[in-house]
Amino acid sequence: MEDWFREAAAESWTQPLPSLVVVSTRAHGNALKARLLEQGISHAGLRFLTPGLLRDLLLRSRDETAPTREDLRLLLAVAAEETLASDVATAEEQQAAKAVLRAPDHLLRTLERIETAGWNFYQLRLPSFQPIVRRFSEQLHAAGLSLHAQLVRAAGVRAQDGAPLFSRVLVTGFDGAHWPHWSVLHAGVAAAQNATVLLQYPEADLDVDSSWIGSWEEVIGEATDVGARRSSSSDSFFSEEEMRGLGRSKRECTFLVGADTPEQAEAVAMQCVRFLAQPACTRIGVVFAAAGSLTRRVASALARLEIPHNDGIGHSVPGIFESAEWQAWLQLQSGPRINSLLRFINALRERDKLFPKLHMPRFERALRSAYAEVLIDDLDIIRQLCASGDGSTRDSIADVIGSIPFLPRRASMAEFLQATKHAFDALGWKTQWLEITRRLDERVTTLAAELSRALYLRWLGEVATTSARARDAAGEHPYARVQLLSVPEAHGQEWSHLIFAGWNEGSWPPPAAGEFVREDDIASFNTSIRQLNRRAAREGRQGEGHSVVREGHSLYLGPAEQRQIALRQF
């Protein structure tokens, strides 16, 4: 790898096409950059990309954009709603539609994995979901959208037949856990004038790992043992043990117990101080099973001790939509009732400007009094009652309710967006509307099918997310010796010291994601996945034992494979 970087750094400035280094995570890219700096090798002129950024770069070269998950979830939910309203849908299909309508992300995730593996959903034995998927495909086609895997596969075909897009491409840090990225990595290699793929020896006897290596050998030729080639050099970029993954040493383990999260965070910070004082300490990895309060407190404790570190997990910082008034507005539109109206008015930051003559205690008493007369907690009925009565207080109730625009119960996407703009204008939310339009895909506005207000509000709540990941100033050092990471980010890197923080019983492996099928269908679903994986694999050109995937396919990582990979990473 050292030779590759020296040659790329010397030539990248003279090439009209960019040179790329594709890594599995941003943390792996930072570790690689730090290693280059230690060796005195410049990485100026090289672009470090993750698979998601590589996909966007491939699509951007053809003036294409991938649809957002929020838009895909909306279209899938609309398909489920149409199936539920269909007169010809069976009882099983209606039950499936209800499940998808409640949580469309489960089915969408499966559709994307199936498409990435090179198959289609109809090859699974799940007939109750097929009408939903068929309607979803029709909605995609009508809007001119495609799943990410379809776009990547088309980009790969164009890369093989068209002019190169990149000068040099190095793919490193990937193994059998990254089968979902096989298509985009293959497309990136095909689009390069010169491509190098660095593979690691499997750490466990897993079919997904052996097929991963075999498939790359089928694409670019037989692998060369870099460790053996470099073992004679005393200043090797990676030692032979590192390349082979065989390095072992007698390790000293320390177990610390904290009564609560603050005690655990302080223990982790003090352990970092002790490790940093040791002469042999070169790199400390603080590994968390998941983001949470412990990660935030550890980062704060390190910052308080003025220890430079890289907070690879970070914490969430709210934006303009992470506010009480926005959540209250969504709740009011979802259910126009007295309590939601009072909660919305109380949450408004510019209430006095919008309703200058409103006296909240008197207004609430009048609302409760009007409700006591009709015993119907519906704002439209309350407004009509107050508008037809006498008294200035009830007139003010009718004026307040009438000044708040409400979304229709059912409408097309374009009509909902127009009504939303009208509601935002009435509240003076110009910045919020600009943010919505910035995130809006114009292709979704052409959706002709009517959808319910509940589906639209759920989509709007998902799109209107402006929170960002942030970290303290002391945690903005990507090359620091102390790194705060998750398990996939820490896996495959070199560490002199490791701290596993907050690893209580049940922390790892993570629980399997919820399935969209019923419990009695899961066994059939898993059987279908195993059959598709066997059909995707074949013998490579190097003979017996060389397992590869067929052209246009990859392996589907089901719950069993994901658990095996999680245990292997740990």
Side-chain angles (χ1 to χ4, degrees), residues 68-90:
T68 63
R69 291 193 63 84
E70 293 81 8
D71 293 341
L72 294 176
R73 277 197 294 265
L74 174 66
L75 295 180
L76 189 56
V78 170
E81 196 174 53
E82 291 179 347
T83 302
L84 191 61
S86 175
D87 297 332
V88 298
T90 65

Side-chain angles (χ1 to χ4, degrees), residues 341-342 345-346 351-368 392-397 399-400:
L341 174 64
L342 294 174
I345 295 178
N346 284 320
R351 184 183 65 190
D352 295 337
K353 180 179 178 181
L354 295 171
F355 309 109
K357 298 181 180 180
L358 183 64
H359 185 267
M360 279 304 298
R362 191 182 306 120
F363 179 77
E364 183 175 355
R365 286 196 299 270
L367 269 178
R368 304 293 184 189
S392 58
T393 303
R394 290 203 167 183
D395 288 341
S396 67
I397 292 177
D399 293 340
V400 169

Side-chain angles (χ1 to χ4, degrees), residues 264-276:
Q264 294 180 44
E266 288 299 321
V268 170
M270 290 298 102
Q271 192 67 28
C272 287
V273 173
R274 287 190 285 270
F275 283 161
L276 289 171

Side-chain angles (χ1 to χ4, degrees), residues 491-536:
H491 177 256
Q493 297 192 40
E494 179 190 1
W495 307 99
S496 63
H497 296 74
L498 276 176
I499 299 175
F500 290 87
W503 286 76
N504 300 316
E505 184 178 358
S507 297
W508 197 265
E515 297 291 344
F516 64 94
V517 295
R518 297 174 299 180
E519 186 174 355
D520 54 350
D521 289 335
I522 291 179
S524 175
F525 173 72
N526 290 333
T527 301
S528 301
I529 292 302
R530 287 193 293 270
Q531 290 175 351
L532 292 183
N533 282 345
R534 284 196 294 268
R535 290 169 58 187

